[in-house]
Amino acid sequence: MLIKTPHKSQLNDFDVTNESIYQERRSLLKQMGFLGAGALMSSAMTKNANASFFGDDKIIFKTRPLEFSKDNENQGLIKTPEQKVISHNNFYEFGAKKNQPAELAQNFQVKPWQLRISGECDKPITLDYDDLTKLFPLEERIYRLRCVEAWSMVIPWIGFPLASLLKRVVPNSKAKYVAFETLYDPKQMPGQANRRLGGGIKYPYVEGLRFDEAMNPLTLMSVGLYGKTLPPQNGAPIRLVVPWKYGFKSIKSIVGIKLLERQPRTTWQKLAPREYGFYANVNPKHDHPRWSQASERRITSGGLFSRNRIDTLAFNGYGEQVADLYRGMDLSKYY
Ligand code: MTE
């Protein structure tokens, strides 16, 4: 496999786009002693989309087609090419650099898989791998994904509403929050075994939503993208997608969902509470302490010279569906 370390002038569009902000976010980790100075510049060039990374002789992870009903509402959105969606990732369990998850997750075993839904409910359940794609009808949802680092994509996810799953376990009246947990398996996830590679995060990666956010029809449990099962770097076999929140809320490779009475603490909130809040709603009026959130770079098919800088929308453009959830709340306090 060819790993190219380009000079700054040869960086591909991902690197250029994110460099300042990405470096800012990483400087926090660096200050904490977790990232080597040379880490940012290395960039492997992935080849074909879908199952075949790094040339045909190195095909490792296979995706498979899924059956789903089409998203009729959002067909007009210009999608980010699949190749970019599956090669420019944040998945710190497989390394803190954008190209590392696509490289280091290729041997990730998703079978067998168990997802346990428990806590404040009458009928806790454990789903296995086949349940994830068979228990509920699958739908396509073409959503914008806005990363806190000020880049964004448009991704055709396949999945089912989290609400369908939560209704199945019959939540009780104490269920006010929902906590999520990623697999903890340092043998498979090298970033969990090596603190430097994993960005200094204390694993497992955990996230949370308020119960009403979790029940909102937009909140998706995704099992696929671009018509096929998720590749590991995007969170196989099942991940959350919450399109009006910064991308870090959309936790990957989930093994546990727990209904709780109290608000859970989340991974980035624990790491830097002044910078990353529990709510993390996309908000162009509330800057990150170290960079502006007023605009973003949309990753499209363009190369280095198509910068695609666009204004960031409140709630990532989903205000009509979700603004009511936050009525009366000071969103600069509850960021
Ligand atoms: N989930 C886990 N377990 N670990 C992570 O590092 N990164 C988050 C989120 N989910 C992350 C995660 C961040 S910061 C973003 S922007 C999105 O995943 C990126 O999703 P994508 O790589 O599919 O675009």
Side-chain angles (χ1 to χ4, degrees):
M1 182 183 72
L2 174 69
I3 299 186
K4 238 171 148 179
T5 304
H7 294 298
K8 206 165 182 169
S9 60
Q10 298 173 325
L11 287 170
N12 65 29
D13 55 350
F14 303 156
D15 298 317
V16 171
T17 304
N18 301 319
E19 190 171 356
S20 57
I21 285 172
Y22 171 44
Q23 228 160 8
E24 279 282 355
R25 194 179 189 193
R26 289 159 58 80
S27 74
L28 168 82
L29 304 175
K30 214 186 262 175
Q31 281 159 26
M32 298 166 76
F34 292 117
L35 293 172
L40 176 68
M41 302 301 287
S42 153
S43 168
M45 307 300 167
T46 51
K47 277 188 182 169
N48 305 321
N50 193 13
S52 166
F53 286 103
F54 317 129
D56 293 338
D57 52 331
K58 297 268 168 103
I59 298 172
I60 305 169
F61 193 88
K62 295 245 188 223
T63 51
R64 66 180 164 84
L66 287 168
E67 275 182 29
F68 55 90
S69 59
K70 279 258 172 203
D71 182 339
N72 294 323
E73 274 175 43
N74 297 309
Q75 291 294 339
L77 284 171
I78 297 170
K79 292 177 220 157
T80 298
E82 181 179 4
Q83 165 65 17
K84 297 201 177 187
V85 174
I86 66 174
S87 61
H88 175 279
N89 300 99
N90 275 336
F91 199 170
Y92 281 64
E93 285 87 336
F94 294 100
K97 290 187 281 172
K98 295 285 176 284
N99 61 297
Q100 281 175 325
E103 286 179 30
L104 300 179
Q106 292 308 300
N107 282 321
F108 187 55
Q109 298 298 316
V110 294
K111 263 191 200 176
W113 194 266
Q114 290 210 316
L115 167 58
R116 172 98 182 133
I117 302 104
S118 61
E120 299 294 350
C121 62
D122 294 346
K123 295 187 174 166
I125 44 170
T126 302
L127 307 183
D128 66 21
Y129 180 82
D130 288 332
D131 294 332
L132 304 178
T133 49
K134 293 198 174 130
L135 218 52
F136 303 100
L138 299 180
E139 309 167 26
E140 178 188 60
R141 299 277 186 91
I142 305 172
Y143 283 159
R144 294 175 288 272
L145 174 88
R146 169 60 157 86
C147 179
V148 75
E149 296 164 346
W151 52 265
S152 63
M153 297 189 185
V154 176
I155 303 176
W157 302 107
I158 315 286
F160 54 86
L162 173 59
S164 308
L165 184 55
L166 294 181
K167 280 181 201 152
R168 168 97 34 146
V169 300
V170 193
N172 67 34
S173 60
K174 286 192 194 158
K176 303 279 191 305
Y177 293 91
V178 186
F180 304 84
E181 191 169 309
T182 293
L183 177 73
Y184 182 73
D185 185 352
K187 284 207 181 93
Q188 288 212 74
M189 295 175 144
Q192 292 180 336
N194 177 328
R195 267 171 86 71
R196 182 172 284 263
L197 185 71
I201 287 175
K202 193 167 174 291
Y203 293 103
Y205 192 102
V206 287
E207 257 307 333
L209 293 174
R210 231 171 46 191
F211 185 70
D212 56 351
E213 296 176 323
M215 295 299 285
N216 186 280
L218 287 182
T219 306
L220 195 73
M221 292 301 287
S222 170
V223 294
L225 54 81
Y226 267 104
K228 291 154 287 191
T229 48
L230 288 173
Q233 61 271 29
N234 292 89
I238 188 160
R239 68 173 293 170
L240 185 68
V241 181
V242 195
W244 71 96
K245 292 177 180 281
Y246 291 119
F248 66 85
K249 299 294 290 181
S250 293
I251 179 172
K252 297 176 170 180
S253 304
I254 302 171
V255 292
I257 299 180
K258 203 163 186 181
L259 291 152
L260 300 175
E261 196 169 5
R262 286 169 194 272
Q263 185 177 304
R265 298 245 294 148
T266 65
T267 287
W268 284 96
Q269 193 188 17
K270 284 193 261 185
L271 202 64
R274 281 189 52 259
E275 304 192 2
Y276 308 102
F278 176 80
Y279 282 91
N281 292 320
V282 175
N283 185 353
K285 294 200 179 124
H286 183 79
D287 287 339
H288 186 281
R290 291 179 289 124
W291 62 81
S292 165
Q293 294 292 23
S295 68
E296 68 205 51
R297 200 189 73 103
R298 175 65 50 82
I299 296 177
T300 62
S301 53
L304 189 56
F305 297 107
S306 74
R307 304 302 297 267
N308 298 324
R309 186 144 290 276
I310 54 174
D311 288 344
T312 289
L313 302 173
F315 300 110
N316 203 21
Y318 299 98
E320 214 173 288
Q321 293 98 316
V322 300
D324 271 358
L325 294 169
Y326 310 103
R327 194 179 292 242
M329 282 175 72
D330 177 352
L331 295 180
S332 61
K333 191 169 160 210
Y334 295 101
Y335 55 85

